[in-house]
PDB file of all heavy atoms in Angstrom:
ATOM      1  N   ARG D  34      -3.330 -30.072 -18.448  1.00 88.00           N
ATOM      2  CA  ARG D  34      -4.587 -29.443 -18.871  1.00 88.00           C
ATOM      3  C   ARG D  34      -5.210 -28.544 -17.813  1.00 88.00           C
ATOM      4  O   ARG D  34      -5.945 -27.633 -18.146  1.00 88.00           O
ATOM      5  CB  ARG D  34      -5.561 -30.519 -19.320  1.00 88.00           C
ATOM      6  CG  ARG D  34      -5.034 -31.230 -20.548  1.00 88.00           C
ATOM      7  CD  ARG D  34      -5.911 -32.345 -20.980  1.00 88.00           C
ATOM      8  NE  ARG D  34      -5.198 -33.110 -22.000  1.00 88.00           N
ATOM      9  CZ  ARG D  34      -5.787 -33.910 -22.830  1.00 88.00           C
ATOM     10  NH1 ARG D  34      -7.080 -34.063 -22.783  1.00 88.00           N
ATOM     11  NH2 ARG D  34      -5.081 -34.570 -23.724  1.00 88.00           N
ATOM     12  N   SER D  35      -4.902 -28.772 -16.554  1.00 90.00           N
ATOM     13  CA  SER D  35      -5.480 -27.920 -15.507  1.00 90.00           C
ATOM     14  C   SER D  35      -4.855 -26.529 -15.505  1.00 90.00           C
ATOM     15  O   SER D  35      -5.440 -25.587 -14.972  1.00 90.00           O
ATOM     16  CB  SER D  35      -5.313 -28.567 -14.138  1.00 90.00           C
ATOM     17  OG  SER D  35      -3.947 -28.639 -13.787  1.00 90.00           O
ATOM     18  N   LYS D  36      -3.672 -26.363 -16.101  1.00 91.00           N
ATOM     19  CA  LYS D  36      -3.005 -25.058 -16.134  1.00 91.00           C
ATOM     20  C   LYS D  36      -3.329 -24.252 -17.389  1.00 91.00           C
ATOM     21  O   LYS D  36      -3.061 -23.058 -17.443  1.00 91.00           O
ATOM     22  CB  LYS D  36      -1.494 -25.236 -16.032  1.00 91.00           C
ATOM     23  CG  LYS D  36      -1.043 -25.743 -14.682  1.00 91.00           C
ATOM     24  CD  LYS D  36       0.456 -25.833 -14.616  1.00 91.00           C
ATOM     25  CE  LYS D  36       0.906 -26.339 -13.264  1.00 91.00           C
ATOM     26  NZ  LYS D  36       2.365 -26.468 -13.196  1.00 91.00           N
ATOM     27  N   VAL D  37      -3.896 -24.893 -18.393  1.00 92.00           N
ATOM     28  CA  VAL D  37      -4.172 -24.213 -19.659  1.00 92.00           C
ATOM     29  C   VAL D  37      -5.389 -23.308 -19.508  1.00 92.00           C
ATOM     30  O   VAL D  37      -6.470 -23.748 -19.133  1.00 92.00           O
ATOM     31  CB  VAL D  37      -4.397 -25.233 -20.800  1.00 92.00           C
ATOM     32  CG1 VAL D  37      -4.860 -24.529 -22.075  1.00 92.00           C
ATOM     33  CG2 VAL D  37      -3.112 -26.016 -21.060  1.00 92.00           C
ATOM     34  N   GLU D  38      -5.191 -22.021 -19.808  1.00 94.00           N
ATOM     35  CA  GLU D  38      -6.279 -21.046 -19.780  1.00 94.00           C
ATOM     36  C   GLU D  38      -6.579 -20.484 -21.165  1.00 94.00           C
ATOM     37  O   GLU D  38      -7.639 -19.914 -21.382  1.00 94.00           O
ATOM     38  CB  GLU D  38      -5.942 -19.908 -18.817  1.00 94.00           C
ATOM     39  CG  GLU D  38      -5.877 -20.367 -17.376  1.00 94.00           C
ATOM     40  CD  GLU D  38      -5.622 -19.228 -16.412  1.00 94.00           C
ATOM     41  OE1 GLU D  38      -5.469 -18.072 -16.845  1.00 94.00           O
ATOM     42  OE2 GLU D  38      -5.576 -19.509 -15.200  1.00 94.00           O
ATOM     43  N   VAL D  39      -5.643 -20.636 -22.096  1.00 94.00           N
ATOM     44  CA  VAL D  39      -5.805 -20.126 -23.463  1.00 94.00           C
ATOM     45  C   VAL D  39      -5.530 -21.267 -24.426  1.00 94.00           C
ATOM     46  O   VAL D  39      -4.544 -21.982 -24.291  1.00 94.00           O
ATOM     47  CB  VAL D  39      -4.824 -18.959 -23.743  1.00 94.00           C
ATOM     48  CG1 VAL D  39      -4.905 -18.509 -25.182  1.00 94.00           C
ATOM     49  CG2 VAL D  39      -5.081 -17.802 -22.793  1.00 94.00           C
ATOM     50  N   ALA D  40      -6.426 -21.423 -25.409  1.00 94.00           N
ATOM     51  CA  ALA D  40      -6.221 -22.437 -26.441  1.00 94.00           C
ATOM     52  C   ALA D  40      -6.287 -21.779 -27.809  1.00 94.00           C
ATOM     53  O   ALA D  40      -7.215 -21.026 -28.105  1.00 94.00           O
ATOM     54  CB  ALA D  40      -7.276 -23.536 -26.340  1.00 94.00           C
ATOM     55  N   ILE D  41      -5.274 -22.043 -28.615  1.00 94.00           N
ATOM     56  CA  ILE D  41      -5.244 -21.599 -30.005  1.00 94.00           C
ATOM     57  C   ILE D  41      -5.469 -22.856 -30.830  1.00 94.00           C
ATOM     58  O   ILE D  41      -4.663 -23.790 -30.788  1.00 94.00           O
ATOM     59  CB  ILE D  41      -3.913 -20.914 -30.340  1.00 94.00           C
ATOM     60  CG1 ILE D  41      -3.714 -19.713 -29.417  1.00 94.00           C
ATOM     61  CG2 ILE D  41      -3.866 -20.511 -31.810  1.00 94.00           C
ATOM     62  CD1 ILE D  41      -2.343 -19.081 -29.483  1.00 94.00           C
ATOM     63  N   LEU D  42      -6.584 -22.903 -31.544  1.00 94.00           N
ATOM     64  CA  LEU D  42      -7.040 -24.140 -32.167  1.00 94.00           C
ATOM     65  C   LEU D  42      -7.204 -24.022 -33.677  1.00 94.00           C
ATOM     66  O   LEU D  42      -7.545 -22.963 -34.190  1.00 94.00           O
ATOM     67  CB  LEU D  42      -8.401 -24.547 -31.580  1.00 94.00           C
ATOM     68  CG  LEU D  42      -8.515 -24.645 -30.063  1.00 94.00           C
ATOM     69  CD1 LEU D  42      -9.958 -24.884 -29.662  1.00 94.00           C
ATOM     70  CD2 LEU D  42      -7.621 -25.744 -29.532  1.00 94.00           C
ATOM     71  N   TRP D  43      -6.994 -25.151 -34.338  1.00 93.00           N
ATOM     72  CA  TRP D  43      -7.327 -25.284 -35.751  1.00 93.00           C
ATOM     73  C   TRP D  43      -7.588 -26.756 -36.025  1.00 93.00           C
ATOM     74  O   TRP D  43      -6.699 -27.591 -35.888  1.00 93.00           O
ATOM     75  CB  TRP D  43      -6.224 -24.757 -36.658  1.00 93.00           C
ATOM     76  CG  TRP D  43      -6.624 -24.824 -38.090  1.00 93.00           C
ATOM     77  CD1 TRP D  43      -6.170 -25.701 -39.039  1.00 93.00           C
ATOM     78  CD2 TRP D  43      -7.594 -24.016 -38.740  1.00 93.00           C
ATOM     79  NE1 TRP D  43      -6.790 -25.478 -40.228  1.00 93.00           N
ATOM     80  CE2 TRP D  43      -7.683 -24.435 -40.084  1.00 93.00           C
ATOM     81  CE3 TRP D  43      -8.414 -22.975 -38.323  1.00 93.00           C
ATOM     82  CZ2 TRP D  43      -8.544 -23.860 -41.001  1.00 93.00           C
ATOM     83  CZ3 TRP D  43      -9.263 -22.394 -39.250  1.00 93.00           C
ATOM     84  CH2 TRP D  43      -9.316 -22.832 -40.565  1.00 93.00           C
ATOM     85  N   ASN D  44      -8.829 -27.064 -36.367  1.00 90.00           N
ATOM     86  CA  ASN D  44      -9.249 -28.439 -36.653  1.00 90.00           C
ATOM     87  C   ASN D  44      -8.817 -29.400 -35.555  1.00 90.00           C
ATOM     88  O   ASN D  44      -8.282 -30.476 -35.808  1.00 90.00           O
ATOM     89  CB  ASN D  44      -8.732 -28.889 -38.017  1.00 90.00           C
ATOM     90  CG  ASN D  44      -9.416 -28.157 -39.144  1.00 90.00           C
ATOM     91  OD1 ASN D  44     -10.567 -27.762 -39.018  1.00 90.00           O
ATOM     92  ND2 ASN D  44      -8.724 -27.953 -40.234  1.00 90.00           N
ATOM     93  N   GLN D  45      -9.056 -29.004 -34.338  1.00 89.00           N
ATOM     94  CA  GLN D  45      -8.716 -29.815 -33.171  1.00 89.00           C
ATOM     95  C   GLN D  45      -9.593 -31.068 -33.127  1.00 89.00           C
ATOM     96  O   GLN D  45     -10.697 -31.060 -33.652  1.00 89.00           O
ATOM     97  CB  GLN D  45      -8.895 -28.999 -31.888  1.00 89.00           C
ATOM     98  CG  GLN D  45     -10.336 -28.779 -31.453  1.00 89.00           C
ATOM     99  CD  GLN D  45     -11.085 -27.731 -32.250  1.00 89.00           C
ATOM    100  OE1 GLN D  45     -10.538 -27.070 -33.103  1.00 89.00           O
ATOM    101  NE2 GLN D  45     -12.359 -27.568 -31.947  1.00 89.00           N
ATOM    102  N   PRO D  46      -9.101 -32.133 -32.502  1.00 88.00           N
ATOM    103  CA  PRO D  46      -9.937 -33.324 -32.338  1.00 88.00           C
ATOM    104  C   PRO D  46     -11.189 -32.982 -31.538  1.00 88.00           C
ATOM    105  O   PRO D  46     -11.137 -32.182 -30.588  1.00 88.00           O
ATOM    106  CB  PRO D  46      -9.039 -34.288 -31.555  1.00 88.00           C
ATOM    107  CG  PRO D  46      -7.652 -33.801 -31.778  1.00 88.00           C
ATOM    108  CD  PRO D  46      -7.756 -32.317 -31.965  1.00 88.00           C
ATOM    109  N   LYS D  47     -12.309 -33.563 -31.910  1.00 87.00           N
ATOM    110  CA  LYS D  47     -13.556 -33.319 -31.184  1.00 87.00           C
ATOM    111  C   LYS D  47     -13.366 -33.704 -29.718  1.00 87.00           C
ATOM    112  O   LYS D  47     -12.710 -34.675 -29.394  1.00 87.00           O
ATOM    113  CB  LYS D  47     -14.688 -34.110 -31.802  1.00 87.00           C
ATOM    114  CG  LYS D  47     -14.984 -33.663 -33.230  1.00 87.00           C
ATOM    115  CD  LYS D  47     -16.435 -33.760 -33.536  1.00 87.00           C
ATOM    116  CE  LYS D  47     -16.752 -33.373 -34.958  1.00 87.00           C
ATOM    117  NZ  LYS D  47     -16.420 -32.069 -35.355  1.00 87.00           N
ATOM    118  N   GLY D  48     -13.905 -32.893 -28.824  1.00 86.00           N
ATOM    119  CA  GLY D  48     -13.787 -33.133 -27.396  1.00 86.00           C
ATOM    120  C   GLY D  48     -12.590 -32.466 -26.753  1.00 86.00           C
ATOM    121  O   GLY D  48     -12.445 -32.508 -25.532  1.00 86.00           O
ATOM    122  N   THR D  49     -11.748 -31.842 -27.558  1.00 87.00           N
ATOM    123  CA  THR D  49     -10.552 -31.193 -27.026  1.00 87.00           C
ATOM    124  C   THR D  49     -10.903 -30.069 -26.060  1.00 87.00           C
ATOM    125  O   THR D  49     -10.306 -29.949 -24.989  1.00 87.00           O
ATOM    126  CB  THR D  49      -9.684 -30.629 -28.168  1.00 87.00           C
ATOM    127  OG1 THR D  49      -9.258 -31.713 -28.989  1.00 87.00           O
ATOM    128  CG2 THR D  49      -8.483 -29.876 -27.644  1.00 87.00           C
ATOM    129  N   ILE D  50     -11.871 -29.262 -26.429  1.00 90.00           N
ATOM    130  CA  ILE D  50     -12.205 -28.081 -25.626  1.00 90.00           C
ATOM    131  C   ILE D  50     -12.600 -28.474 -24.201  1.00 90.00           C
ATOM    132  O   ILE D  50     -12.131 -27.875 -23.235  1.00 90.00           O
ATOM    133  CB  ILE D  50     -13.315 -27.264 -26.310  1.00 90.00           C
ATOM    134  CG1 ILE D  50     -12.796 -26.693 -27.633  1.00 90.00           C
ATOM    135  CG2 ILE D  50     -13.830 -26.151 -25.401  1.00 90.00           C
ATOM    136  CD1 ILE D  50     -13.860 -26.091 -28.515  1.00 90.00           C
ATOM    137  N   SER D  51     -13.413 -29.492 -24.077  1.00 90.00           N
ATOM    138  CA  SER D  51     -13.882 -29.885 -22.740  1.00 90.00           C
ATOM    139  C   SER D  51     -12.788 -30.530 -21.898  1.00 90.00           C
ATOM    140  O   SER D  51     -12.952 -30.686 -20.691  1.00 90.00           O
ATOM    141  CB  SER D  51     -15.078 -30.834 -22.852  1.00 90.00           C
ATOM    142  OG  SER D  51     -14.686 -32.052 -23.434  1.00 90.00           O
ATOM    143  N   SER D  52     -11.670 -30.895 -22.508  1.00 89.00           N
ATOM    144  CA  SER D  52     -10.592 -31.538 -21.743  1.00 89.00           C
ATOM    145  C   SER D  52      -9.741 -30.527 -20.969  1.00 89.00           C
ATOM    146  O   SER D  52      -8.855 -30.924 -20.218  1.00 89.00           O
ATOM    147  CB  SER D  52      -9.705 -32.375 -22.663  1.00 89.00           C
ATOM    148  OG  SER D  52      -8.918 -31.568 -23.505  1.00 89.00           O
ATOM    149  N   PHE D  53     -10.002 -29.242 -21.159  1.00 91.00           N
ATOM    150  CA  PHE D  53      -9.292 -28.189 -20.439  1.00 91.00           C
ATOM    151  C   PHE D  53     -10.254 -27.552 -19.425  1.00 91.00           C
ATOM    152  O   PHE D  53     -11.042 -26.678 -19.786  1.00 91.00           O
ATOM    153  CB  PHE D  53      -8.760 -27.136 -21.412  1.00 91.00           C
ATOM    154  CG  PHE D  53      -7.717 -27.664 -22.350  1.00 91.00           C
ATOM    155  CD1 PHE D  53      -8.037 -27.971 -23.660  1.00 91.00           C
ATOM    156  CD2 PHE D  53      -6.418 -27.871 -21.926  1.00 91.00           C
ATOM    157  CE1 PHE D  53      -7.082 -28.464 -24.539  1.00 91.00           C
ATOM    158  CE2 PHE D  53      -5.446 -28.365 -22.788  1.00 91.00           C
ATOM    159  CZ  PHE D  53      -5.784 -28.661 -24.095  1.00 91.00           C
ATOM    160  N   PRO D  54     -10.187 -27.933 -18.158  1.00 92.00           N
ATOM    161  CA  PRO D  54     -11.180 -27.488 -17.181  1.00 92.00           C
ATOM    162  C   PRO D  54     -11.113 -25.998 -16.829  1.00 92.00           C
ATOM    163  O   PRO D  54     -12.104 -25.442 -16.359  1.00 92.00           O
ATOM    164  CB  PRO D  54     -10.879 -28.341 -15.949  1.00 92.00           C
ATOM    165  CG  PRO D  54      -9.446 -28.714 -16.074  1.00 92.00           C
ATOM    166  CD  PRO D  54      -9.200 -28.837 -17.559  1.00 92.00           C
ATOM    167  N   ASN D  55      -9.993 -25.340 -17.055  1.00 94.00           N
ATOM    168  CA  ASN D  55      -9.845 -23.932 -16.672  1.00 94.00           C
ATOM    169  C   ASN D  55      -9.691 -22.998 -17.868  1.00 94.00           C
ATOM    170  O   ASN D  55      -9.157 -21.898 -17.734  1.00 94.00           O
ATOM    171  CB  ASN D  55      -8.651 -23.785 -15.721  1.00 94.00           C
ATOM    172  CG  ASN D  55      -8.875 -24.547 -14.438  1.00 94.00           C
ATOM    173  OD1 ASN D  55      -9.929 -24.445 -13.834  1.00 94.00           O
ATOM    174  ND2 ASN D  55      -7.902 -25.352 -14.036  1.00 94.00           N
ATOM    175  N   LEU D  56     -10.184 -23.429 -19.002  1.00 92.00           N
ATOM    176  CA  LEU D  56     -10.058 -22.646 -20.237  1.00 92.00           C
ATOM    177  C   LEU D  56     -10.877 -21.366 -20.128  1.00 92.00           C
ATOM    178  O   LEU D  56     -12.045 -21.371 -19.768  1.00 92.00           O
ATOM    179  CB  LEU D  56     -10.551 -23.496 -21.411  1.00 92.00           C
ATOM    180  CG  LEU D  56     -10.151 -23.070 -22.802  1.00 92.00           C
ATOM    181  CD1 LEU D  56      -8.642 -23.023 -22.953  1.00 92.00           C
ATOM    182  CD2 LEU D  56     -10.742 -24.031 -23.820  1.00 92.00           C
ATOM    183  N   LYS D  57     -10.218 -20.232 -20.434  1.00 94.00           N
ATOM    184  CA  LYS D  57     -10.874 -18.927 -20.357  1.00 94.00           C
ATOM    185  C   LYS D  57     -10.977 -18.243 -21.717  1.00 94.00           C
ATOM    186  O   LYS D  57     -11.769 -17.332 -21.899  1.00 94.00           O
ATOM    187  CB  LYS D  57     -10.123 -18.022 -19.388  1.00 94.00           C
ATOM    188  CG  LYS D  57     -10.164 -18.543 -17.976  1.00 94.00           C
ATOM    189  CD  LYS D  57      -9.421 -17.650 -17.030  1.00 94.00           C
ATOM    190  CE  LYS D  57      -9.540 -18.229 -15.627  1.00 94.00           C
ATOM    191  NZ  LYS D  57      -8.602 -17.690 -14.711  1.00 94.00           N
ATOM    192  N   PHE D  58     -10.139 -18.655 -22.665  1.00 94.00           N
ATOM    193  CA  PHE D  58     -10.094 -17.971 -23.956  1.00 94.00           C
ATOM    194  C   PHE D  58      -9.762 -18.975 -25.049  1.00 94.00           C
ATOM    195  O   PHE D  58      -8.859 -19.796 -24.885  1.00 94.00           O
ATOM    196  CB  PHE D  58      -9.028 -16.871 -23.907  1.00 94.00           C
ATOM    197  CG  PHE D  58      -8.911 -16.061 -25.165  1.00 94.00           C
ATOM    198  CD1 PHE D  58      -9.803 -15.047 -25.444  1.00 94.00           C
ATOM    199  CD2 PHE D  58      -7.902 -16.323 -26.079  1.00 94.00           C
ATOM    200  CE1 PHE D  58      -9.695 -14.294 -26.606  1.00 94.00           C
ATOM    201  CE2 PHE D  58      -7.784 -15.581 -27.243  1.00 94.00           C
ATOM    202  CZ  PHE D  58      -8.675 -14.563 -27.507  1.00 94.00           C
ATOM    203  N   ILE D  59     -10.509 -18.908 -26.138  1.00 94.00           N
ATOM    204  CA  ILE D  59     -10.262 -19.760 -27.298  1.00 94.00           C
ATOM    205  C   ILE D  59     -10.040 -18.853 -28.500  1.00 94.00           C
ATOM    206  O   ILE D  59     -10.797 -17.910 -28.723  1.00 94.00           O
ATOM    207  CB  ILE D  59     -11.458 -20.682 -27.586  1.00 94.00           C
ATOM    208  CG1 ILE D  59     -11.730 -21.593 -26.394  1.00 94.00           C
ATOM    209  CG2 ILE D  59     -11.209 -21.496 -28.840  1.00 94.00           C
ATOM    210  CD1 ILE D  59     -13.029 -22.378 -26.516  1.00 94.00           C
ATOM    211  N   CYS D  60      -9.014 -19.162 -29.272  1.00 94.00           N
ATOM    212  CA  CYS D  60      -8.692 -18.397 -30.467  1.00 94.00           C
ATOM    213  C   CYS D  60      -8.545 -19.352 -31.641  1.00 94.00           C
ATOM    214  O   CYS D  60      -7.920 -20.410 -31.512  1.00 94.00           O
ATOM    215  CB  CYS D  60      -7.395 -17.627 -30.246  1.00 94.00           C
ATOM    216  SG  CYS D  60      -6.881 -16.627 -31.653  1.00 94.00           S
ATOM    217  N   SER D  61      -9.096 -18.980 -32.777  1.00 94.00           N
ATOM    218  CA  SER D  61      -8.928 -19.780 -33.987  1.00 94.00           C
ATOM    219  C   SER D  61      -7.591 -19.432 -34.628  1.00 94.00           C
ATOM    220  O   SER D  61      -7.248 -18.264 -34.764  1.00 94.00           O
ATOM    221  CB  SER D  61     -10.067 -19.497 -34.966  1.00 94.00           C
ATOM    222  OG  SER D  61      -9.871 -20.221 -36.156  1.00 94.00           O
ATOM    223  N   PHE D  62      -6.842 -20.441 -35.023  1.00 94.00           N
ATOM    224  CA  PHE D  62      -5.546 -20.234 -35.664  1.00 94.00           C
ATOM    225  C   PHE D  62      -5.705 -19.710 -37.089  1.00 94.00           C
ATOM    226  O   PHE D  62      -4.815 -19.054 -37.614  1.00 94.00           O
ATOM    227  CB  PHE D  62      -4.760 -21.547 -35.668  1.00 94.00           C
ATOM    228  CG  PHE D  62      -3.347 -21.421 -36.158  1.00 94.00           C
ATOM    229  CD1 PHE D  62      -2.370 -20.854 -35.364  1.00 94.00           C
ATOM    230  CD2 PHE D  62      -2.997 -21.880 -37.413  1.00 94.00           C
ATOM    231  CE1 PHE D  62      -1.056 -20.738 -35.809  1.00 94.00           C
ATOM    232  CE2 PHE D  62      -1.683 -21.771 -37.874  1.00 94.00           C
ATOM    233  CZ  PHE D  62      -0.714 -21.204 -37.074  1.00 94.00           C
ATOM    234  N   GLY D  63      -6.834 -19.974 -37.704  1.00 89.00           N
ATOM    235  CA  GLY D  63      -7.074 -19.531 -39.077  1.00 89.00           C
ATOM    236  C   GLY D  63      -8.409 -18.821 -39.182  1.00 89.00           C
ATOM    237  O   GLY D  63      -9.096 -18.583 -38.185  1.00 89.00           O
ATOM    238  N   ALA D  64      -8.765 -18.500 -40.404  1.00 90.00           N
ATOM    239  CA  ALA D  64     -10.045 -17.832 -40.648  1.00 90.00           C
ATOM    240  C   ALA D  64     -11.187 -18.807 -40.397  1.00 90.00           C
ATOM    241  O   ALA D  64     -11.124 -19.972 -40.758  1.00 90.00           O
ATOM    242  CB  ALA D  64     -10.093 -17.307 -42.076  1.00 90.00           C
ATOM    243  N   GLY D  65     -12.223 -18.316 -39.768  1.00 89.00           N
ATOM    244  CA  GLY D  65     -13.386 -19.139 -39.481  1.00 89.00           C
ATOM    245  C   GLY D  65     -13.304 -19.771 -38.112  1.00 89.00           C
ATOM    246  O   GLY D  65     -12.227 -19.978 -37.562  1.00 89.00           O
ATOM    247  N   VAL D  66     -14.476 -20.059 -37.562  1.00 90.00           N
ATOM    248  CA  VAL D  66     -14.536 -20.670 -36.241  1.00 90.00           C
ATOM    249  C   VAL D  66     -15.416 -21.919 -36.225  1.00 90.00           C
ATOM    250  O   VAL D  66     -15.717 -22.449 -35.163  1.00 90.00           O
ATOM    251  CB  VAL D  66     -15.045 -19.662 -35.177  1.00 90.00           C
ATOM    252  CG1 VAL D  66     -14.067 -18.523 -34.990  1.00 90.00           C
ATOM    253  CG2 VAL D  66     -16.433 -19.153 -35.533  1.00 90.00           C
TER     254      VAL D  66
END
């Protein structure tokens, strides 16, 4: 998780975003955010 800078997400488990300390970009896999 420390190496992940980009996350492509769709209905991810709650709390997933905060588990990536170096996240710089989030993209939705489908329509809607």
Side-chain angles (χ1 to χ4, degrees):
R34 296 177 190 199
S35 66
K36 292 183 180 178
V37 173
E38 294 183 359
V39 175
I41 301 170
L42 307 173
W43 184 253
N44 291 330
Q45 75 284 355
K47 296 214 182 300
T49 298
I50 295 169
S51 66
S52 71
F53 295 102
N55 297 313
L56 197 59
K57 296 180 179 164
F58 182 79
I59 300 171
C60 180
S61 177
F62 187 75
V66 295

